[in-house]
Amino acid sequence: RSEIKQYIFLQIANSSASILPQFSARHLSNLMYAYSLVEYMPKFEDGSTLFDILALEAISKLTAFNSHDLSNMIWAYANVEESNPKLFTRVAEHITRLDKLSEFKPQGLSNIVWAYAT
């Protein structure tokens, strides 16, 4: 079963990589979250991972992420122990510029702090 699951997730990663510009912030966040839940990190032929490619797309759409999507995205990276300093720096800068940190629920803020601590 594990091999079948990995095969399916690899195929989804390969298919989605070229159409990521069509994904909304919510779609990107959900994709990251799903891959982190199964703890599977597909690698591409060039050596990059799905999360490397997702980070580039997320950075370009950072202002479109709501508090929930930001929280899930950052949590997903920490959950799979994937490092992306550029993304984490940009997200931190974005969060500190937000006028309404009150938009974040306690769980969301906790997830973000946990992700930066790991």
Side-chain angles (χ1 to χ4, degrees):
R1 270 190 171 193
S2 179
E3 290 175 10
I4 293 171
K5 187 189 306 183
Q6 285 186 354
Y7 175 79
I8 291 168
F9 275 84
L10 179 59
Q11 295 308 308
I12 293 169
N14 286 329
S15 296
S16 63
S18 64
I19 60 170
L20 287 179
Q22 298 172 31
F23 281 42
S24 69
R26 164 76 35 103
H27 297 139
L28 292 170
S29 175
N30 287 345
L31 192 61
M32 292 175 205
Y33 187 77
Y35 275 86
S36 74
L37 288 177
V38 296
E39 297 178 348
Y40 179 60
M41 184 59 55
K43 291 193 178 189
F44 298 106
E45 290 179 10
D46 66 359
S48 66
T49 68
L50 176 63
F51 274 43
D52 293 333
I53 296 169
L54 287 167
L56 294 173
E57 195 61 38
I59 289 169
S60 74
K61 296 177 177 171
L62 204 50
T63 58
F65 281 80
N66 65 30
S67 59
H68 181 76
D69 296 334
L70 282 171
S71 172
N72 281 351
M73 174 177 61
I74 294 301
W75 178 88
Y77 274 82
N79 192 53
V80 294
E81 299 177 354
E82 182 75 10
S83 176
N84 194 300
K86 185 175 182 180
L87 175 66
F88 270 62
T89 298
R90 293 283 179 88
V91 168
E93 291 168 350
H94 177 69
I95 290 171
T96 58
R97 284 193 302 262
L98 292 176
D99 291 333
K100 299 179 184 176
L101 280 179
S102 61
E103 290 179 12
F104 285 86
K105 293 182 179 177
Q107 182 66 53
L109 283 174
S110 297
N111 288 349
I112 290 171
V113 171
W114 175 81
Y116 278 91
T118 35

